CSV table of all heavy atoms in Angstrom, one decimal:
chain,number,residue,atom,x,y,z
A,479,MET,N,78.8,122.7,63.4
A,479,MET,CA,79.6,121.7,64.2
A,479,MET,C,79.5,121.9,65.7
A,479,MET,O,79.8,123.0,66.2
A,479,MET,CB,81.1,121.9,63.8
A,479,MET,CG,81.4,121.1,62.5
A,479,MET,SD,83.1,121.6,62.0
A,479,MET,CE,84.1,120.7,63.1
A,480,SER,N,79.1,120.9,66.3
A,480,SER,CA,79.1,121.0,67.7
A,480,SER,C,80.5,120.5,68.3
A,480,SER,O,80.6,119.4,68.7
A,480,SER,CB,78.0,120.2,68.3
A,480,SER,OG,78.1,118.9,67.9
A,481,GLY,N,81.4,121.4,68.1
A,481,GLY,CA,82.8,121.0,68.4
A,481,GLY,C,83.2,121.1,69.9
A,481,GLY,O,84.0,121.9,70.2
A,482,GLU,N,82.5,120.3,70.6
A,482,GLU,CA,83.0,120.2,72.0
A,482,GLU,C,84.1,119.2,72.1
A,482,GLU,O,84.0,118.1,71.8
A,482,GLU,CB,81.8,119.8,72.9
A,482,GLU,CG,80.8,120.9,73.0
A,482,GLU,CD,79.8,120.6,74.1
A,482,GLU,OE1,80.1,119.9,75.0
A,482,GLU,OE2,78.6,121.0,74.0
A,483,GLU,N,85.2,119.7,72.7
A,483,GLU,CA,86.4,118.8,72.7
A,483,GLU,C,86.5,118.0,73.9
A,483,GLU,O,87.6,117.7,74.4
A,483,GLU,CB,87.6,119.7,72.5
A,483,GLU,CG,87.6,120.5,71.2
A,483,GLU,CD,88.9,121.2,71.0
A,483,GLU,OE1,89.8,121.1,71.9
A,483,GLU,OE2,89.0,122.0,70.1
A,484,THR,N,85.3,117.6,74.4
A,484,THR,CA,85.4,116.8,75.6
A,484,THR,C,85.9,115.4,75.3
A,484,THR,O,86.3,114.7,76.2
A,484,THR,CB,84.0,116.7,76.2
A,484,THR,OG1,83.1,116.4,75.2
A,484,THR,CG2,83.6,117.9,76.9
A,485,ASP,N,86.0,115.2,74.0
A,485,ASP,CA,86.4,113.9,73.6
A,485,ASP,C,87.9,113.8,73.6
A,485,ASP,O,88.5,112.7,73.7
A,485,ASP,CB,85.9,113.6,72.2
A,485,ASP,CG,85.4,112.2,72.1
A,485,ASP,OD1,85.1,111.6,73.2
A,485,ASP,OD2,85.2,111.7,71.0
A,486,LYS,N,88.6,115.0,73.5
A,486,LYS,CA,90.0,115.0,73.4
A,486,LYS,C,90.7,115.3,74.7
A,486,LYS,O,91.8,115.9,74.7
A,486,LYS,CB,90.4,116.0,72.3
A,486,LYS,CG,90.1,115.6,70.9
A,486,LYS,CD,90.6,116.6,69.9
A,486,LYS,CE,90.3,116.1,68.5
A,486,LYS,NZ,90.8,117.1,67.5
A,487,VAL,N,90.1,115.0,75.7
A,487,VAL,CA,90.7,115.4,77.0
A,487,VAL,C,91.9,114.6,77.2
A,487,VAL,O,91.9,113.3,77.2
A,487,VAL,CB,89.7,115.1,78.2
A,487,VAL,CG1,90.4,115.4,79.5
A,487,VAL,CG2,88.4,116.0,78.0
A,488,THR,N,93.0,115.3,77.4
A,488,THR,CA,94.2,114.5,77.7
A,488,THR,C,94.2,114.0,79.1
A,488,THR,O,93.9,114.6,80.1
A,488,THR,CB,95.5,115.5,77.6
A,488,THR,OG1,95.1,116.7,78.2
A,488,THR,CG2,95.8,115.7,76.1
A,489,PRO,N,94.6,112.7,79.2
A,489,PRO,CA,94.5,112.0,80.5
A,489,PRO,C,95.6,112.6,81.4
A,489,PRO,O,96.8,112.2,81.4
A,489,PRO,CB,94.8,110.6,80.1
A,489,PRO,CG,95.5,110.6,78.8
A,489,PRO,CD,95.0,111.8,78.1
A,490,LEU,N,95.2,113.5,82.3
A,490,LEU,CA,96.1,114.0,83.2
A,490,LEU,C,96.2,113.1,84.4
A,490,LEU,O,95.4,112.3,84.7
A,490,LEU,CB,95.6,115.4,83.8
A,490,LEU,CG,95.5,116.5,82.7
A,490,LEU,CD1,94.8,117.7,83.3
A,490,LEU,CD2,96.9,116.9,82.3
A,491,ARG,N,97.4,113.2,85.0
A,491,ARG,CA,97.6,112.3,86.2
A,491,ARG,C,96.6,112.8,87.3
A,491,ARG,O,96.5,114.0,87.6
A,491,ARG,CB,99.0,112.5,86.7
A,491,ARG,CG,99.9,111.5,86.2
A,491,ARG,CD,101.2,111.6,87.0
A,491,ARG,NE,102.3,111.0,86.2
A,491,ARG,CZ,103.6,111.2,86.5
A,491,ARG,NH1,103.9,111.9,87.5
A,491,ARG,NH2,104.5,110.7,85.8
A,492,PRO,N,95.9,111.8,87.8
A,492,PRO,CA,95.0,112.2,88.9
A,492,PRO,C,95.8,112.8,90.1
A,492,PRO,O,96.7,112.1,90.6
A,492,PRO,CB,94.3,110.9,89.3
A,492,PRO,CG,95.2,109.8,88.8
A,492,PRO,CD,95.9,110.4,87.6
A,493,LYS,N,95.5,114.0,90.4
A,493,LYS,CA,96.2,114.6,91.5
A,493,LYS,C,95.8,114.1,92.9
A,493,LYS,O,94.7,114.1,93.2
A,493,LYS,CB,96.0,116.1,91.5
A,493,LYS,CG,96.9,116.8,90.5
A,493,LYS,CD,97.0,118.3,90.8
A,493,LYS,CE,98.0,119.0,89.9
A,493,LYS,NZ,98.0,120.4,90.1
A,494,ARG,N,96.8,113.6,93.5
A,494,ARG,CA,96.6,113.1,94.9
A,494,ARG,C,96.6,114.2,95.9
A,494,ARG,O,97.5,115.0,95.9
A,494,ARG,CB,97.7,112.1,95.2
A,494,ARG,CG,97.2,110.8,95.8
A,494,ARG,CD,98.3,110.1,96.4
A,494,ARG,NE,98.6,108.9,95.6
A,494,ARG,CZ,99.6,108.1,96.0
A,494,ARG,NH1,100.3,108.3,97.1
A,494,ARG,NH2,99.8,107.0,95.3
A,495,PRO,N,95.6,114.3,96.7
A,495,PRO,CA,95.6,115.3,97.8
A,495,PRO,C,96.7,115.0,98.8
A,495,PRO,O,97.0,113.8,99.0
A,495,PRO,CB,94.2,115.2,98.4
A,495,PRO,CG,93.7,113.8,98.1
A,495,PRO,CD,94.4,113.4,96.8
A,496,CYS,N,97.2,116.0,99.4
A,496,CYS,CA,98.3,115.8,100.4
A,496,CYS,C,97.7,115.0,101.5
A,496,CYS,O,96.7,115.3,102.1
A,496,CYS,CB,98.7,117.2,100.9
A,496,CYS,SG,99.9,117.1,102.2
A,497,PRO,N,98.4,113.9,101.9
A,497,PRO,CA,98.0,113.0,103.0
A,497,PRO,C,97.9,113.8,104.3
A,497,PRO,O,97.2,113.3,105.2
A,497,PRO,CB,99.1,112.0,103.0
A,497,PRO,CG,99.8,112.0,101.7
A,497,PRO,CD,99.7,113.4,101.3
A,498,GLU,N,98.6,114.9,104.4
A,498,GLU,CA,98.6,115.6,105.7
A,498,GLU,C,97.5,116.6,105.8
A,498,GLU,O,96.8,116.6,106.8
A,498,GLU,CB,100.0,116.3,105.8
A,498,GLU,CG,101.1,115.3,106.1
A,498,GLU,CD,100.9,114.5,107.3
A,498,GLU,OE1,100.4,115.0,108.3
A,498,GLU,OE2,101.2,113.3,107.3
A,499,CYS,N,97.4,117.4,104.8
A,499,CYS,CA,96.4,118.5,104.9
A,499,CYS,C,95.3,118.4,103.9
A,499,CYS,O,94.4,119.2,103.9
A,499,CYS,CB,97.1,119.9,104.9
A,499,CYS,SG,97.9,120.2,103.3
A,500,GLY,N,95.5,117.6,102.9
A,500,GLY,CA,94.4,117.4,101.9
A,500,GLY,C,94.5,118.4,100.8
A,500,GLY,O,93.7,118.4,99.9
A,501,ARG,N,95.5,119.2,100.7
A,501,ARG,CA,95.7,120.1,99.6
A,501,ARG,C,96.3,119.4,98.4
A,501,ARG,O,96.9,118.3,98.6
A,501,ARG,CB,96.7,121.3,100.0
A,501,ARG,CG,96.0,122.2,101.1
A,501,ARG,CD,97.0,123.3,101.3
A,501,ARG,NE,96.4,124.3,102.2
A,501,ARG,CZ,96.9,125.5,102.4
A,501,ARG,NH1,98.1,125.8,101.9
A,501,ARG,NH2,96.3,126.4,103.2
A,502,PRO,N,96.1,120.0,97.3
A,502,PRO,CA,96.7,119.4,96.1
A,502,PRO,C,98.2,119.3,96.2
A,502,PRO,O,98.8,120.2,96.7
A,502,PRO,CB,96.3,120.5,95.0
A,502,PRO,CG,95.1,121.2,95.5
A,502,PRO,CD,95.3,121.2,97.0
A,503,SER,N,98.7,118.2,95.8
A,503,SER,CA,100.1,117.9,95.9
A,503,SER,C,100.9,118.7,94.9
A,503,SER,O,100.5,119.0,93.8
A,503,SER,CB,100.4,116.4,95.8
A,503,SER,OG,99.9,116.0,94.5
A,504,ALA,N,102.1,119.0,95.3
A,504,ALA,CA,103.0,119.7,94.4
A,504,ALA,C,103.9,118.7,93.8
A,504,ALA,O,104.2,117.6,94.3
A,504,ALA,CB,103.8,120.7,95.2
A,505,ARG,N,104.4,119.1,92.6
A,505,ARG,CA,105.2,118.1,91.9
A,505,ARG,C,106.6,117.8,92.6
A,505,ARG,O,107.0,116.7,92.6
A,505,ARG,CB,105.6,118.7,90.5
A,505,ARG,CG,106.1,117.6,89.6
A,505,ARG,CD,106.9,118.2,88.4
A,505,ARG,NE,106.0,119.1,87.6
A,505,ARG,CZ,106.5,119.8,86.6
A,505,ARG,NH1,107.8,119.8,86.4
A,505,ARG,NH2,105.7,120.5,85.9
A,506,GLU,N,107.1,118.8,93.2
A,506,GLU,CA,108.4,118.7,93.8
A,506,GLU,C,108.3,117.8,95.1
A,506,GLU,O,109.3,117.2,95.5
A,506,GLU,CB,109.0,120.0,94.2
A,506,GLU,CG,109.4,120.8,92.9
A,506,GLU,CD,110.0,122.1,93.3
A,506,GLU,OE1,110.2,122.4,94.5
A,506,GLU,OE2,110.2,122.9,92.3
A,507,THR,N,107.2,117.9,95.7
A,507,THR,CA,107.1,117.2,97.0
A,507,THR,C,106.0,116.1,97.0
A,507,THR,O,105.5,115.7,98.0
A,507,THR,CB,106.7,118.2,98.1
A,507,THR,OG1,105.6,118.9,97.7
A,507,THR,CG2,107.9,119.2,98.4
A,508,TYR,N,105.7,115.7,95.8
A,508,TYR,CA,104.7,114.6,95.6
A,508,TYR,C,105.0,113.5,96.6
A,508,TYR,O,106.1,113.1,96.7
A,508,TYR,CB,104.8,114.2,94.2
A,508,TYR,CG,103.7,113.2,93.8
A,508,TYR,CD1,102.4,113.7,93.4
A,508,TYR,CD2,103.9,111.9,93.9
A,508,TYR,CE1,101.4,112.8,93.1
A,508,TYR,CE2,102.8,111.0,93.6
A,508,TYR,CZ,101.6,111.5,93.1
A,508,TYR,OH,100.6,110.6,92.8
A,509,PRO,N,103.9,112.9,97.2
A,509,PRO,CA,102.5,113.3,97.0
A,509,PRO,C,102.1,114.4,98.0
A,509,PRO,O,100.9,114.5,98.3
A,509,PRO,CB,101.8,112.0,97.3
A,509,PRO,CG,102.7,111.3,98.3
A,509,PRO,CD,104.1,111.7,98.0
A,510,PHE,N,103.0,115.1,98.5
A,510,PHE,CA,102.7,116.1,99.5
A,510,PHE,C,102.6,117.5,98.9
A,510,PHE,O,103.1,117.7,97.8
A,510,PHE,CB,103.7,116.1,100.7
A,510,PHE,CG,103.8,114.8,101.3
A,510,PHE,CD1,104.8,113.9,100.9
A,510,PHE,CD2,102.9,114.3,102.3
A,510,PHE,CE1,105.0,112.7,101.5
A,510,PHE,CE2,103.0,113.1,102.8
A,510,PHE,CZ,104.1,112.3,102.5
A,511,CYS,N,102.0,118.4,99.6
A,511,CYS,CA,101.8,119.7,99.0
A,511,CYS,C,103.0,120.6,99.3
A,511,CYS,O,103.2,121.5,98.6
A,511,CYS,CB,100.5,120.3,99.6
A,511,CYS,SG,100.7,120.8,101.3
A,512,SER,N,103.7,120.2,100.3
A,512,SER,CA,104.9,121.1,100.6
A,512,SER,C,105.9,120.2,101.4
A,512,SER,O,105.7,119.1,101.8
A,512,SER,CB,104.4,122.2,101.5
A,512,SER,OG,103.9,121.7,102.7
A,513,THR,N,107.1,120.8,101.5
A,513,THR,CA,108.2,120.1,102.2
A,513,THR,C,107.8,119.9,103.6
A,513,THR,O,108.2,118.9,104.2
A,513,THR,CB,109.4,120.9,102.1
A,513,THR,OG1,109.6,121.5,100.8
A,513,THR,CG2,110.6,120.1,102.4
A,514,ARG,N,107.0,120.8,104.1
A,514,ARG,CA,106.7,120.7,105.5
A,514,ARG,C,105.8,119.4,105.8
A,514,ARG,O,106.1,118.7,106.7
A,514,ARG,CB,105.9,121.9,105.9
A,514,ARG,CG,105.7,122.0,107.4
A,514,ARG,CD,104.8,123.2,107.8
A,514,ARG,NE,104.3,123.1,109.1
A,514,ARG,CZ,103.4,123.9,109.6
A,514,ARG,NH1,102.9,124.9,108.9
A,514,ARG,NH2,103.0,123.8,110.8
A,515,CYS,N,104.8,119.3,105.0
A,515,CYS,CA,104.0,118.1,105.1
A,515,CYS,C,104.8,116.8,104.9
A,515,CYS,O,104.5,115.8,105.5
A,515,CYS,CB,102.8,118.2,104.2
A,515,CYS,SG,101.5,119.4,104.7
A,516,LYS,N,105.7,116.9,104.0
A,516,LYS,CA,106.5,115.8,103.7
A,516,LYS,C,107.3,115.4,105.0
A,516,LYS,O,107.4,114.2,105.3
A,516,LYS,CB,107.5,116.1,102.6
A,516,LYS,CG,108.2,114.9,102.0
A,516,LYS,CD,109.0,115.3,100.8
A,516,LYS,CE,109.7,114.1,100.2
A,516,LYS,NZ,110.5,114.5,99.0
A,517,GLN,N,107.8,116.4,105.6
A,517,GLN,CA,108.6,116.2,106.8
A,517,GLN,C,107.7,115.6,107.9
A,517,GLN,O,108.1,114.7,108.7
A,517,GLN,CB,109.3,117.5,107.3
A,517,GLN,CG,110.4,117.9,106.4
A,517,GLN,CD,111.6,116.9,106.4
A,517,GLN,OE1,111.8,116.3,107.4
A,517,GLN,NE2,112.3,116.8,105.3
A,518,VAL,N,106.6,116.2,108.0
A,518,VAL,CA,105.6,115.7,109.1
A,518,VAL,C,105.4,114.2,108.9
A,518,VAL,O,105.4,113.4,109.8
A,518,VAL,CB,104.3,116.5,109.0
A,518,VAL,CG1,103.3,115.9,109.9
A,518,VAL,CG2,104.6,117.9,109.4
A,519,ASP,N,105.1,113.9,107.7
A,519,ASP,CA,104.8,112.5,107.4
A,519,ASP,C,106.0,111.6,107.6
A,519,ASP,O,105.9,110.5,108.2
A,519,ASP,CB,104.3,112.3,106.0
A,519,ASP,CG,103.8,110.9,105.7
A,519,ASP,OD1,102.6,110.6,106.0
A,519,ASP,OD2,104.6,110.1,105.2
A,520,LEU,N,107.1,112.1,107.2
A,520,LEU,CA,108.4,111.4,107.4
A,520,LEU,C,108.7,111.1,108.9
A,520,LEU,O,109.0,110.0,109.3
A,520,LEU,CB,109.5,112.1,106.7
A,520,LEU,CG,110.9,111.5,106.8
A,520,LEU,CD1,110.9,110.1,106.0
A,520,LEU,CD2,112.0,112.4,106.3
A,521,ASN,N,108.5,112.2,109.6
A,521,ASN,CA,108.8,112.0,111.1
A,521,ASN,C,107.9,111.0,111.7
A,521,ASN,O,108.2,110.3,112.6
A,521,ASN,CB,108.6,113.4,111.8
A,521,ASN,CG,109.7,114.3,111.4
A,521,ASN,OD1,110.8,113.9,111.0
A,521,ASN,ND2,109.5,115.6,111.4
A,522,ARG,N,106.6,111.1,111.3
A,522,ARG,CA,105.7,110.2,111.8
A,522,ARG,C,106.0,108.7,111.5
A,522,ARG,O,106.0,107.8,112.3
A,522,ARG,CB,104.3,110.5,111.3
A,522,ARG,CG,103.2,109.5,111.8
A,522,ARG,CD,101.9,109.8,111.2
A,522,ARG,NE,101.5,111.2,111.4
A,522,ARG,CZ,100.6,111.8,110.6
A,522,ARG,NH1,100.1,111.2,109.6
A,522,ARG,NH2,100.3,113.0,110.9
A,523,TRP,N,106.5,108.6,110.3
A,523,TRP,CA,106.8,107.3,109.8
A,523,TRP,C,108.0,106.8,110.6
A,523,TRP,O,108.1,105.6,111.0
A,523,TRP,CB,107.2,107.4,108.3
A,523,TRP,CG,107.4,106.0,107.7
A,523,TRP,CD1,106.5,105.1,107.4
A,523,TRP,CD2,108.7,105.5,107.3
A,523,TRP,NE1,107.1,104.0,106.8
A,523,TRP,CE2,108.4,104.2,106.8
A,523,TRP,CE3,110.0,105.9,107.5
A,523,TRP,CZ2,109.4,103.4,106.4
A,523,TRP,CZ3,111.0,105.1,107.0
A,523,TRP,CH2,110.7,103.8,106.5
A,524,LEU,N,109.0,107.7,110.8
A,524,LEU,CA,110.2,107.3,111.5
A,524,LEU,C,110.0,106.9,112.9
A,524,LEU,O,110.5,106.0,113.5
A,524,LEU,CB,111.2,108.4,111.4
A,524,LEU,CG,111.9,108.6,110.0
A,524,LEU,CD1,112.8,109.9,110.1
A,524,LEU,CD2,112.7,107.4,109.6
A,525,SER,N,109.1,107.7,113.5
A,525,SER,CA,108.8,107.5,114.9
A,525,SER,C,107.8,106.3,115.1
A,525,SER,O,107.6,105.9,116.2
A,525,SER,CB,108.3,108.7,115.6
A,525,SER,OG,107.1,109.2,114.9
A,526,GLY,N,107.2,105.9,114.1
A,526,GLY,CA,106.2,104.9,114.2
A,526,GLY,C,106.7,103.5,113.9
A,526,GLY,O,107.1,102.8,114.8
A,527,SER,N,106.7,103.2,112.6
A,527,SER,CA,107.0,101.8,112.3
A,527,SER,C,108.5,101.6,112.2
A,527,SER,O,108.9,100.5,112.2
A,527,SER,CB,106.4,101.5,110.9
A,527,SER,OG,106.8,102.4,110.0
A,528,TYR,N,109.2,102.6,112.2
A,528,TYR,CA,110.7,102.5,112.0
A,528,TYR,C,111.4,103.2,113.1
A,528,TYR,O,112.2,104.1,112.9
A,528,TYR,CB,111.1,103.0,110.7
A,528,TYR,CG,112.5,102.6,110.3
A,528,TYR,CD1,112.9,101.3,110.3
A,528,TYR,CD2,113.4,103.6,109.9
A,528,TYR,CE1,114.2,100.9,109.9
A,528,TYR,CE2,114.6,103.2,109.5
A,528,TYR,CZ,115.0,101.9,109.5
A,528,TYR,OH,116.3,101.6,109.2
A,529,ALA,N,111.1,102.9,114.4
A,529,ALA,CA,111.7,103.6,115.5
A,529,ALA,C,113.2,103.4,115.6
A,529,ALA,O,113.6,102.2,115.6
A,529,ALA,CB,111.0,103.2,116.8
A,530,ILE,N,113.9,104.5,115.7
A,530,ILE,CA,115.3,104.3,115.8
A,530,ILE,C,115.8,104.5,117.2
A,530,ILE,O,115.5,105.6,117.8
A,530,ILE,CB,116.1,105.4,114.9
A,530,ILE,CG1,115.6,105.2,113.4
A,530,ILE,CG2,117.6,105.2,115.1
A,530,ILE,CD1,116.2,106.3,112.6
A,531,PRO,N,116.4,103.5,117.8
A,531,PRO,CA,116.8,103.7,119.2
A,531,PRO,C,117.9,104.7,119.3
A,531,PRO,O,118.8,104.9,118.5
A,531,PRO,CB,117.4,102.3,119.5
A,531,PRO,CG,117.7,101.7,118.2
A,531,PRO,CD,116.7,102.3,117.2
A,532,VAL,N,117.9,105.4,120.4
A,532,VAL,CA,118.9,106.4,120.7
A,532,VAL,C,120.2,105.8,121.1
A,532,VAL,O,120.3,105.0,122.0
A,532,VAL,CB,118.5,107.4,121.8
A,532,VAL,CG1,119.5,108.5,121.9
A,532,VAL,CG2,117.1,107.9,121.5
A,533,ARG,N,121.2,106.1,120.3
A,533,ARG,CA,122.5,105.4,120.5
A,533,ARG,C,123.2,105.8,121.8
A,533,ARG,O,124.0,105.0,122.4
A,533,ARG,CB,123.5,105.7,119.4
A,533,ARG,CG,123.1,105.0,118.1
A,533,ARG,CD,124.3,104.4,117.5
A,533,ARG,NE,124.1,103.1,116.8
A,533,ARG,CZ,125.1,102.4,116.3
A,533,ARG,NH1,126.3,102.8,116.3
A,533,ARG,NH2,124.8,101.2,115.7
A,534,ASP,N,122.9,106.9,122.3
A,534,ASP,CA,123.5,107.4,123.5
A,534,ASP,C,123.1,106.6,124.8
A,534,ASP,O,123.9,106.3,125.7
A,534,ASP,CB,123.2,108.9,123.8
A,534,ASP,CG,124.0,109.8,122.9
A,534,ASP,OD1,124.9,109.2,122.3
A,534,ASP,OD2,123.7,110.9,122.8
A,535,ASP,N,121.9,106.2,124.7
A,535,ASP,CA,121.4,105.4,125.9
A,535,ASP,C,121.5,103.9,125.7
A,535,ASP,O,121.1,103.1,126.5
A,535,ASP,CB,119.9,105.7,126.1
A,535,ASP,CG,119.7,107.2,126.5
A,535,ASP,OD1,120.7,107.8,127.0
A,535,ASP,OD2,118.6,107.7,126.3
A,536,GLU,N,122.1,103.6,124.6
A,536,GLU,CA,122.2,102.2,124.3
A,536,GLU,C,123.3,101.5,125.1
A,536,GLU,O,124.4,102.0,125.3
A,536,GLU,CB,122.6,102.1,122.8
A,536,GLU,CG,122.7,100.6,122.4
A,536,GLU,CD,123.0,100.6,120.9
A,536,GLU,OE1,122.1,100.9,120.1
A,536,GLU,OE2,124.1,100.3,120.5
A,537,GLU,N,123.0,100.4,125.6
A,537,GLU,CA,123.9,99.6,126.4
A,537,GLU,C,124.4,98.4,125.6
A,537,GLU,O,123.5,97.6,125.2
A,537,GLU,CB,123.3,99.2,127.7
A,537,GLU,CG,123.0,100.3,128.6
A,537,GLU,CD,122.4,99.8,129.9
A,537,GLU,OE1,122.8,98.7,130.3
A,537,GLU,OE2,121.7,100.6,130.6
A,538,ASP,N,125.7,98.3,125.5
A,538,ASP,CA,126.2,97.2,124.7
A,538,ASP,C,126.2,95.9,125.6
A,538,ASP,O,127.3,95.4,125.8
A,538,ASP,CB,127.6,97.5,124.1
A,538,ASP,CG,127.5,98.6,123.1
A,538,ASP,OD1,126.4,98.7,122.5
A,538,ASP,OD2,128.5,99.3,123.0
A,539,ASP,N,125.1,95.5,126.0
A,539,ASP,CA,125.1,94.4,126.9
A,539,ASP,C,124.2,93.3,126.3
A,539,ASP,O,123.1,93.0,126.7
A,539,ASP,CB,124.5,94.8,128.3
A,539,ASP,CG,124.8,93.7,129.3
A,539,ASP,OD1,125.9,93.2,129.3
A,539,ASP,OD2,123.8,93.4,130.0
A,540,GLY,N,124.7,92.7,125.2
A,540,GLY,CA,124.0,91.7,124.5
A,540,GLY,C,122.7,92.2,123.9
A,540,GLY,O,121.6,91.7,124.1
A,541,GLU,N,122.8,93.3,123.2
A,541,GLU,CA,121.6,93.8,122.6
A,541,GLU,C,121.2,92.9,121.4
A,541,GLU,O,122.0,92.4,120.7
A,541,GLU,CB,121.9,95.2,122.0
A,541,GLU,CG,122.9,95.2,120.9
A,541,GLU,CD,122.8,96.5,120.1
A,541,GLU,OE1,121.7,97.0,119.9
A,541,GLU,OE2,123.9,96.9,119.7
A,542,GLU,N,119.9,92.8,121.3
A,542,GLU,CA,119.4,92.0,120.2
A,542,GLU,C,118.6,92.9,119.3
A,542,GLU,O,117.5,93.3,119.6
A,542,GLU,CB,118.5,90.9,120.7
A,542,GLU,CG,119.4,89.9,121.5
A,542,GLU,CD,118.5,88.8,122.1
A,542,GLU,OE1,117.2,88.9,121.9
A,542,GLU,OE2,119.0,87.9,122.7
A,543,PRO,N,119.1,93.2,118.1
A,543,PRO,CA,118.4,94.0,117.2
A,543,PRO,C,117.1,93.3,116.7
A,543,PRO,O,117.2,92.4,115.8
A,543,PRO,CB,119.4,94.2,116.0
A,543,PRO,CG,120.4,93.1,116.1
A,543,PRO,CD,120.4,92.7,117.6
A,544,SER,N,116.1,93.7,117.3
A,544,SER,CA,114.8,93.1,116.8
A,544,SER,C,114.2,93.9,115.7
A,544,SER,O,114.3,95.1,115.8
A,544,SER,CB,113.8,92.9,118.0
A,544,SER,OG,113.6,94.2,118.6
A,545,GLN,N,113.5,93.3,114.9
A,545,GLN,CA,112.9,94.1,113.8
A,545,GLN,C,112.0,95.1,114.3
A,545,GLN,O,110.8,95.1,114.0
A,545,GLN,CB,112.2,93.2,112.8
A,545,GLN,CG,113.2,92.5,111.9
A,545,GLN,CD,112.5,91.7,110.8
A,545,GLN,OE1,111.4,91.8,110.6
A,545,GLN,NE2,113.2,91.0,110.0
B,1498,LIG,ZN1,100.0,119.3,102.9
């Protein structure tokens, strides 16, 4: 019997490399490898497409919340 079990390979989830450093992602911080990389990406996201204006410097002079 040439019993190579290559036929019974269980379909594992394709591991996504960490978008930040390219390391294998961890389950807890998927798709990142660590909390740190997750934070890095989060910060980038926040400061990029979703910039939050600083409320302290905000002047209530007819502000128009633009997207
Ligand atoms: Zn990483």
